Amino acid sequence: MGQSSVRGEGAPSAAKARDGASSDRPRKLREGGTAGPGVKEGEAGPPGKGGGGGGGDGRHPRRRKRRILRWSATILSVLILGTAAAGYLYYQHLNDNLETDDLNLGEHRAPEPTPNSAGQTPLNILLIGSDARDSKENQKLGGAKDTFGGPPLADVQMLLHLSADRTNMSVISMPRDTLLTIPKCTDPDDGKVYKETGPRMMTNESLGRGGPGCTVATWEKLTNIHINHFVMVDFSGVVSMADAIGGVPVCVDKNIHSRTSRGKGSGLKLEKGTSNIKGEQALQWLRTRYGFEDGSDIARAKAQHMYMNSLVRTLRENTGLTSPNRLRKLAENATRALKVDPGLGSVMKLYGLGNELKKVSPERTTMTTMPFEYSGSRVVPKPGDAEKLFRLVRDDIALDGKDERKPAKEKLSDDPAAPDDRIALQVRNGTRTATEPPVSRRASAVAELLAEKGFTKAAPDPASALTEARTVVRYPSLELEGDAQRVAKSLGLPLSAVKKSTDVSGITLVVGSDWREGAEPKKAKKSDDSTPESADALNGSDSKACMKVDPNFTW
């Protein structure tokens, strides 16, 4: 039976049934629809042609439109799913580019900082520049053929501290020539144990003792600053990322060519004034010693600070990085260039970190070098100043002096303290400093003093000595707060010295370097929270900073 006969009897067509069209729709079209070819407007089309249009194919125009829409939706769905799949695969590809390594290979863990009143905590990231010549590309860029395949050195070490409220950022560089004790580290790959060194080991050798996690362990032991993450990059990584960014402006006060008569030097050659450097030239800038100021590692650290400040300003201001191709290149090069701890081991985690860092303006960024003094041709942490700088970071105090801090109100615990002879507590030796060894048996001596005061359950902790500038009482949970405050009061410590911490399992007294001797801690003086002049602070917004060139290396 023909289609026109079916429609003439008023029966719905199969097409209508599929489309869900009502039986009166053709009549509406015939009464006021658009006529098909050869039909005057307002007249009904011929029977069997859909009653009013659709051309000569016998199909209803709206049904055909719906069919086209269905096909379009199907194709669009395939494209969307295909694009999402491709995006997912590329995301996985970027994740696969990232190398990870253990965060801390040592035995000591610095305590996590106490959250501020808003529940926020600081973030500390150790930036490591490796001089590894473990590939042809790194060998070509780094030279020194005799070190090919040898243990890598951590020639750049910068601790980046992001404040708890994300208003400011501080950076401490440690000169690679710093002599100190490197702690015991265990290589996670082969289980090899590297014993603790003496006090005369260069800090850059920590990287070759199991990996970046040993460099982290060295920093935590020296500074007692809790490190959340590390990011490490090698020569080729610096070059590829500098290329992807598109260049960073730097300044020298004279023409410079970093090359000695014996062929030593980075090879950096720039004219006086500001130059935009990228690729291999950026690496040369970061590695230059011969030609900058006195040719020391200290001058090189200053040049690195200038580069980083300029890099941050460039990333914040450079609209060229909105280009999809440039962003893709930067993502590709960055994920191939970096080695990170598992906590940063995905693109999304790195992206999250980047979002946190960009909350801070260059004006609130302060670059410093660890205060030092010379020991022969090497350096050691400067007594007093180095520990003061570490304390400021531990206490989350901005190095630019712009913090608006209100004195913390001391509040007695609602939880009553137990009798002294029922309070169990451990005593730890925290008298080690950046320049002084721990006082022998100090924990035992203080535990005996506490026992004489009635705290008969005080016991020394045999764990290795810590670094704590001020004596502190830590407790793990609120039900022990009253007991912890009672211990502090008995020693004449302020309530601000009592801190809740998840790093202890019970009440723990850490005897700091402020109590190296005597029966009672020294009364705390009003805190000086200014950044030591010897830290050579540089503000991140200083776009006029210019490296001084040694006249012997100008042209």
Side-chain angles (χ1 to χ4, degrees), residues 158-400:
M158 295 184 183
L159 182 67
L160 188 156
H161 171 83
L162 185 61
S163 67
D165 61 8
R166 306 303 191 250
T167 62
N168 65 87
M169 184 161 60
S170 306
V171 177
I172 302 176
S173 284
M174 186 187 297
R176 71 165 189 171
D177 294 344
T178 303
L179 298 174
L180 42 74
T181 298
I182 298 177
K184 173 185 173 183
C185 291
T186 303
D187 191 315
D189 294 328
D190 58 16
K192 181 177 179 179
V193 176
Y194 295 86
K195 295 181 180 179
E196 181 173 290
T197 70
R200 305 288 294 179
M201 177 75 78
M202 278 176 56
T203 181
N204 65 346
E205 294 186 42
S206 59
L207 184 59
R209 297 166 59 84
C214 193
T215 306
V216 170
T218 302
W219 272 81
E220 285 212 2
K221 183 166 186 177
L222 174 69
T223 67
N224 209 33
I225 296 170
H226 177 78
I227 296 177
N228 303 90
H229 303 291
F230 75 78
V231 176
M232 186 170 77
V233 64
D234 60 14
F235 293 152
S236 61
V238 170
V239 171
S240 64
M241 289 179 65
D243 271 339
I245 290 165
V248 169
V250 294
C251 176
V252 288
D253 69 349
K254 300 180 187 71
N255 295 348
I256 182 175
H257 187 200
S258 177
R259 186 67 73 200
T260 69
S261 58
R262 295 185 179 182
K264 291 186 175 182
S266 70
L268 178 71
K269 191 172 185 178
L270 294 175
E271 293 183 355
K272 176 183 177 180
T274 300
S275 302
N276 197 62
I277 60 173
K278 61 181 180 178
E280 188 171 350
Q281 206 170 37
L283 175 65
Q284 290 173 337
W285 176 277
L286 294 170
R287 297 188 64 220
T288 294
R289 291 180 64 179
Y290 299 108
F292 282 157
E293 299 189 351
D294 60 357
S296 69
D297 194 51
I298 311 305
R300 175 163 62 180
K302 185 182 293 185
Q304 291 167 354
H305 292 167
M306 289 185 186
Y307 180 88
M308 284 191 64
N309 282 341
S310 186
L311 172 63
V312 170
R313 292 194 299 269
T314 299
L315 289 173
R316 291 176 70 95
E317 298 166 5
N318 191 349
T319 55
L321 284 177
T322 58
S323 159
N325 286 336
R326 180 165 286 185
L327 284 172
R328 181 195 58 77
K329 184 178 180 182
L330 180 58
E332 188 75 38
N333 290 347
T335 52
R336 286 187 180 277
L338 303 178
K339 178 176 281 191
V340 297
D341 66 280
L344 288 179
S346 75
V347 174
M348 289 307 297
K349 290 176 180 177
L350 283 173
Y351 177 76
L353 174 61
N355 279 338
E356 292 297 292
L357 295 176
K358 75 179 184 182
K359 293 176 181 178
V360 180
S361 68
E363 290 77 13
R364 295 300 313 277
T365 300
T366 307
M367 312 287 292
T368 65
T369 299
M370 179 196 75
F372 65 90
E373 60 185 20
Y374 280 98
S375 176
S377 60
R378 308 300 183 196
V379 301
V380 294
K382 184 176 183 178
D385 282 6
E387 175 53 36
K388 181 183 180 183
L389 187 64
F390 300 152
R391 177 185 65 79
L392 292 177
V393 171
R394 277 197 305 268
D395 292 349
D396 196 27
I397 296 172
L399 300 186
D400 61 6

Side-chain angles (χ1 to χ4, degrees), residues 29 59 79 92 148 229 237 258 264 310-311 358 413 491 521:
L29 285 170
R59 295 180 181 176
L79 288 174
Q92 286 300 107
F148 182 80
H229 303 291
S258 177
K264 291 186 175 182
S310 186
L311 172 63
K358 75 179 184 182
S413 174
L491 295 172

Side-chain angles (χ1 to χ4, degrees), residues 398-475:
L399 300 186
D400 61 6
K402 296 179 181 178
D403 269 350
E404 295 182 4
R405 289 179 174 267
K406 297 179 180 178
K409 293 182 180 180
E410 295 192 347
K411 177 180 177 297
L412 285 171
S413 174
D414 295 330
D415 178 55
D420 292 354
D421 62 355
R422 295 181 59 186
I423 297 177
L425 72 149
Q426 284 191 321
V427 183
R428 291 183 180 174
N429 187 348
T431 57
R432 182 198 298 274
T433 71
T435 56
E436 297 175 294
V439 177
S440 178
R441 298 191 73 256
R442 188 60 183 153
S444 297
V446 172
E448 291 172 5
L449 288 172
L450 284 166
E452 292 173 4
K453 290 177 176 288
F455 294 92
T456 55
K457 290 189 174 183
D461 185 345
S464 59
L466 308 176
T467 299
E468 197 75 55
R470 296 171 179 166
T471 300
V472 64
V473 182
R474 295 194 170 96
Y475 64 96

Side-chain angles (χ1 to χ4, degrees), residues 108 153 156 191 260 267 304 363 477 494 527 532 555:
H108 169 63
L153 299 173
V156 177
T260 69
Q304 291 167 354
E363 290 77 13
S477 52
S527 178
W555 55 278

